[in-house]
Amino acid sequence: AVYTPLIARAIPDPAKAPPGLGLISSERCAELALKGMDLGLFYIPTHAHLSDDMRSRSEGVAAALKALGLAS
């Protein structure tokens, strides 16, 4: 999650956010976005766990491409 005014309403002190939330500042999010753009990345993840979260979707797209004969 990115610490924005919306999050701040529920969690006024970001230091008290649950660790599992992986809260980052809007400045850090912007740094990552700009670096990703500079690197020409299509996806610009902000947290390491996104790889695990997206793995099943990525595998599903790969299976669909194979089923459609668009990939081997």
Side-chain angles (χ1 to χ4, degrees):
V2 179
Y3 194 69
T4 63
L6 180 66
I7 298 288
R9 281 186 250 162
I11 306 171
D13 181 357
K16 294 182 179 177
L21 190 57
L23 194 61
I24 63 172
S25 69
S26 55
E27 292 84 1
R28 179 66 178 143
C29 183
E31 289 171 7
L32 291 167
L34 291 172
K35 182 176 182 179
M37 290 169 60
D38 285 344
L39 293 171
L41 299 177
F42 183 78
Y43 292 106
I44 304 172
T46 56
H47 294 78
H49 72 84
L50 291 175
S51 176
D52 292 334
D53 292 349
M54 294 192 68
R55 185 166 288 115
S56 66
R57 287 181 243 173
S58 176
E59 291 168 353
V61 169
L65 289 169
K66 187 175 181 181
L68 292 168
L70 299 172
S72 55

